[in-house]
Each structure stands twice: as structure tokens, then as C-alpha cells.
Amino acid sequence: MPKKTRDYKWILYVCAGAVGLYLLLPLLMILLTSVSSGASSKFPPEGLTLEWYSRLGDQKQFLEAFRNSILASAGAVLLALVTGTLAALAIVQYPFPGRGLLRAFFMSPMVMPKITLGVAYLILFSKMHIAGGLFALILGEAVIVLPFVLSIVGSALANLNPAHREAAADLGAGPFRIFFTVTLPQLQLSLLLAGSIAFVFTFDQVETALLILRQGSYTLPIQLFLYMEKWQDPTVAVVSVVLIAFALALFFAIKLVIRSAPGVENMLGSRTNKRRS
């Protein structure tokens, strides 16, 4: 290998390491703050203790808020997956005049300011007399994450081989049977990826939830925000560390599901071989 090429390689390694350190540094600071022995959140910590972790069990509002976040995110993701998949199916596989305009309309929540959507939802749901509860939040968040589902599932549908559907139709299968037995199994990976991204995005949603929800239905981000207005102890850092561990566990669980899915290993392997060749 020429010396000039080796120098460029080490420069890339150093730059990648610096970027990785920059991304990990805030998380390390949160971790150290969570074990601080001081009565307030500050860095560097005065000492190390696990006392704040033991006190977390006494903060019942965080457990209830976590449950609300899980319910709201799961409901919004399920609704977005169903509606987004049907919309992608109509736009990609059944061409009609104005489908580009319809797709742009469905993608518009991605660029819309979230605070604007929150105000709009507050007015709409107040007129519908459902504002303040998790059901309203599920409806609102499903619209916000719909573009992610439409984009990912739509790309997967566009890359499917139409010969499979045509063969099923030649054998006498109807549209519904073709969808559930041919199309849907080929979309499993895309649905999993879209659902994972949508779940993480909705779980961390603050602007819309802050305007829609009332006390008793608060999600975890809102509860953390309200707690920080009154207290400055490391409890917030402790909850943040727990959320980081939850996100890592979710990531490895998704990776395990992807690796264990039938045909995924062969698909990834074939793509890798094509790139190498």
C-alpha cells in the first residue's frame, strides 16, 4: 500500500474516532452525573454513589409516565403502520392521476413545525371533546410518523418483483389473498424498520404531547420536564440512563429479530457479495 494512501487511512480513523467520542461524551457525562453524591446535578461529580438509583423506585410518577409513553407510542406506531402501508400500496402499485401530489401531502408532517401541529391538534381535539387523553395523542403522533412508514414501506414495495403477484393472480388468488400471502411477508423487514424508527420518534415527542395532554396522562418526557422545573438533583440523569439502557435493549432485540427472520441472512449476504464483486 502506498505511503500516501496509508496516511489518508489513518486520518480517516482519527476523524471517525473524534466524531465517535463527540457523540459518546454527552452520554458519559449523564452516566457520571447519575452516580453523583451531590444534591444537585453538576459535572464533574463531587463523589460516586448509587443512592439516586435506589430512590428512583419512590418516584411513582415516572413509572406511570413511562407506561403512558409506551402505550401512546405503541398505539401510534400500530396506527401509522396500518394506514401508511395501505397508502404506500395504493400509491406504488395502483397508479392514478395526482398520486405524486397525494404522496407529498402525506409527507408534509415531516417538514411541518411540531409546535404548529400541536396547536392545530389542540383546537381539533378540543372540538371533538377528546383532548387531554392518550387517545388524542395516539391520533396526533400517528400522523407525525406516517411519513416514515410511507417512505420506507413505499421504497420496499417499489423494489418488489411484480412477477410474484402476477403468478399468484394467475393461480386464482384475489387481491386480499395476494397481499397477505405474497406482498406482506416480503415487507416484514421494512415494517420492522419503519415501526422501530416511528416508535423511537414518538417516545421522545414533547411539543405535541405538551399541548394535548392533561395531568394524569403525561408521558415520560413531559414528566421529566416538569420535574426539572422544581428539582435539580441527579434523578433526571438516572432516568436518562435507564432510557439509554432501554434503547440499547430495544436495538439488540430488533437486531436479533432481523437476524433470526427467515431469508434475511441470505439477503444480507447476497448484498454483501454483490458489493464485494
Side-chain angles (χ1 to χ4, degrees), residues 80-92 94 106 146 149-150 153 157 176 179-180:
L81 286 177
V82 173
T83 56
T85 301
L86 294 177
L89 189 68
I91 293 174
V92 174
Y94 302 96
F106 284 148
L146 180 64
V149 179
L150 182 62
V153 177
L157 282 171
F176 286 100
F179 174 74
F180 284 106

Side-chain angles (χ1 to χ4, degrees), residues 122-200:
L122 176 62
I123 297 174
L124 174 63
F125 295 149
S126 297
K127 294 294 184 180
M128 298 173 61
H129 304 289
I130 60 174
L134 292 179
F135 179 67
L137 182 61
I138 289 174
L139 295 179
E141 289 185 342
V143 174
I144 294 176
V145 299
L146 180 64
F148 297 103
V149 179
L150 182 62
S151 178
I152 296 175
V153 177
S155 299
L157 282 171
N159 292 323
L160 293 183
N161 189 352
H164 298 158
R165 299 192 302 273
E166 294 172 359
D170 292 340
L171 294 174
F176 286 100
R177 187 171 183 179
I178 293 175
F179 174 74
F180 284 106
T181 60
V182 178
T183 304
L184 190 60
Q186 298 181 73
L187 296 177
Q188 289 181 356
L189 182 59
S190 300
L191 291 173
L192 178 61
L193 294 176
S196 303
I197 295 175
F199 182 86
V200 173

Side-chain angles (χ1 to χ4, degrees), residues 247-269:
L248 289 175
L250 181 63
F251 169 78
F252 285 111
I254 293 173
K255 185 177 181 180
L256 182 62
V257 171
I258 291 176
R259 291 295 181 183
S260 61
V264 172
E265 286 286 354
N266 297 332
M267 180 181 65
L268 295 178

Side-chain angles (χ1 to χ4, degrees), residues 113-119 204-212 222:
K114 300 303 179 291
I115 190 68
T116 303
L117 286 175
V119 174
D204 198 35
Q205 183 63 236
V206 177
E207 299 91 341
T208 304
L210 190 61
L211 291 170
I212 293 178
I222 297 178

Side-chain angles (χ1 to χ4, degrees), residues 42-137:
K42 61 181 180 178
F43 189 86
E46 299 175 353
L48 301 179
T49 181
L50 295 177
E51 179 183 359
W52 299 107
Y53 283 89
S54 62
R55 292 184 180 182
L56 185 61
D58 299 330
Q59 305 289 346
K60 303 298 183 183
Q61 72 273 20
F62 290 134
L63 182 60
E64 183 178 355
F66 180 77
R67 179 184 63 85
N68 292 337
S69 294
I70 292 292
L71 291 177
S73 297
V77 168
L78 182 61
L79 182 59
L81 286 177
V82 173
T83 56
T85 301
L86 294 177
L89 189 68
I91 293 174
V92 174
Q93 294 189 354
Y94 302 96
F96 56 90
R99 65 171 181 168
L101 183 62
L102 182 62
R103 177 183 173 83
F105 175 73
F106 284 148
M107 298 295 291
S108 61
M110 183 178 292
V111 297
M112 188 76 65
K114 300 303 179 291
I115 190 68
T116 303
L117 286 175
V119 174
Y121 288 146
L122 176 62
I123 297 174
L124 174 63
F125 295 149
S126 297
K127 294 294 184 180
M128 298 173 61
H129 304 289
I130 60 174
L134 292 179
F135 179 67
L137 182 61

